[in-house]
Amino acid sequence: MVKVFLVEDEAIIRHGIRDNIDWASHGFEFAGEAGDGEYAYPLILKAQPDILVTDIKMPFMDGLELCSILTKRLPGSKFVVFSGFDDFEYAKQAVRMNVSEYILKPINAAELSAVLQKLKEQLDTERTERQNQETL
């Protein structure tokens, strides 16, 4: 199972994402959620998710800062950032933070599920390659 952690300051959106994806049937474990990056950080370190899904603009610690910190702490993880801002500068910053996907709001479950499935396949491929390297 691939662990997914969700960070979104708007509770309605966070709960909508959490409750409208059938995580287990897609091969995911919902590893936790938080309303801002500062609160999320220790929870993420404890959960060790494979994929972090986060809003870009939040109080206290935004999604880009969170991704920047976690790139060093969880180098094998994938990051998905979503934003209500169609701003090229945010997208450029996201690329620098090792973000795998940048999604514009409003988000729908089908789009997010497709992105998560793509990242799951990448993670599976990377794990297989590491295992093959270790056996050589």
Side-chain angles (χ1 to χ4, degrees), residues 1 8 11 24 29 44-45 54 60 68-69 82 94 123 128 130:
M1 292 286 244
E8 163 62 64
E29 174 188 338
I44 292 167
L45 292 179
T54 182
F60 308 112
S68 176
I69 294 167
F82 48 88
L123 286 164
T128 300
R130 273 195 305 274

Side-chain angles (χ1 to χ4, degrees), residues 32-47:
E33 65 182 280
D36 69 72
E38 187 174 83
Y39 179 72
Y41 181 69
L43 299 175
I44 292 167
L45 292 179
K46 184 176 180 182

Side-chain angles (χ1 to χ4, degrees), residues 2 6 8 10-11 14 20 22 35 41 54-56 67 70 74 86 91 94 106 119 122 124 136:
V2 172
L6 173 63
E8 163 62 64
E10 295 181 53
R14 188 173 68 247
N20 287 304
D22 186 357
Y41 181 69
T54 182
D55 191 3
I56 203 165
C67 290
L70 290 172
L74 301 173
D86 187 7
L119 293 177
Q122 288 177 7
D124 290 344
L136 293 177

Side-chain angles (χ1 to χ4, degrees), residues 6 8 12-23 26 53 80-83 102-117:
L6 173 63
E8 163 62 64
I12 292 171
I13 294 172
R14 188 173 68 247
H15 296 159
I17 291 170
R18 180 193 65 201
D19 298 341
N20 287 304
I21 294 178
D22 186 357
W23 301 97
H26 294 326
V53 179
V80 177
V81 171
F82 48 88
S83 175
Y102 186 92
I103 303 171
L104 288 176
K105 289 181 180 179
I107 302 166
N108 65 57
E111 178 184 18
L112 183 56
S113 293
V115 166
L116 292 173
Q117 193 61 44

Side-chain angles (χ1 to χ4, degrees), residues 80-96:
V80 177
V81 171
F82 48 88
S83 175
F85 304 97
D86 187 7
D87 185 336
F88 185 65
E89 190 57 38
Y90 282 131
K92 283 190 341 188
Q93 288 177 5
V95 168
R96 286 194 299 267

